[in-house]
Amino acid sequence: MRRLAAYTIPFVGLKLGKHQFEYDIDNEFFDHFEYDEFNSVDVKIDLLFEKKNTMMELTFKASGTVNVNCDITNEPYDQPIDSSLFLVIKFGDEYNDEDEDLLIIPHGEFEVNVQQYIYELIVLSLPIKRVHPGVEDGTLKSDVLDKLEELSIDKKEKNKEDEIDPRWDKLKNLLND
């Protein structure tokens, strides 16, 4: 995967202390990752980059909306995004990103690319089951919901099946004797 230059931070020229970065994420960002589950994306990333003598601390905060399709009705809706990620960057002998909260980069590095962390922050902040708010409160009118309601098993039919055959009652009496 090719690195996007806009998400590369050259930390060698930065002074010790806190630095603020902002990114506006849209569909073009996810096209780069070939991720097509979003209809539209409007997310703002606030990145607080704190440079220290021996390490760097990154605090990502994502806020905005992602338009996705409902898993039940396939109707598009805006899913709000509000999440954060804390990352520590240390220096070591070789590159290592096995730990999700710690990134180790070689001593000679002079920049860090944050595009993968932004991608994961947004994708993982979505719920596993995406349900339109109108489905949850009952205000959404959809052909799919009408068909699901039509095909659902009525409680009345279920109660009729729960009635016990009187022949089994005779066998239960044998157990009680």
Side-chain angles (χ1 to χ4, degrees), residues 107-120:
H107 289 288
E109 285 291 319
F110 60 92
E111 63 186 16
V112 62
N113 189 287
V114 295
Q115 71 186 21
Q116 184 67 33
Y117 295 101
I118 292 172
Y119 168 80
E120 291 175 5

Side-chain angles (χ1 to χ4, degrees), residues 31-43:
D31 289 343
H32 176 73
F33 288 94
E34 297 177 6
Y35 189 79
D36 58 357
E37 289 196 26
F38 299 153
N39 299 328
S40 65
V41 180
D42 183 21
V43 177

Side-chain angles (χ1 to χ4, degrees), residues 102-141:
L102 176 67
L103 173 65
I104 298 174
I105 58 177
H107 289 288
E109 285 291 319
F110 60 92
E111 63 186 16
V112 62
N113 189 287
V114 295
Q115 71 186 21
Q116 184 67 33
Y117 295 101
I118 292 172
Y119 168 80
E120 291 175 5
L121 174 63
I122 295 171
V123 171
L124 295 177
S125 65
L126 290 173
I128 294 172
K129 187 172 183 180
R130 302 171 189 156
V131 180
H132 193 289
V135 172
E136 292 175 347
D137 62 17
T139 59
L140 180 69
K141 300 297 180 204

Side-chain angles (χ1 to χ4, degrees), residues 160-174:
K160 289 179 184 176
E161 293 175 5
D162 290 342
E163 292 178 9
I164 300 174
D165 188 351
R167 293 176 287 183
W168 293 109
D169 287 335
K170 295 288 185 187
L171 290 174
K172 285 184 186 177
N173 288 339
L174 292 175

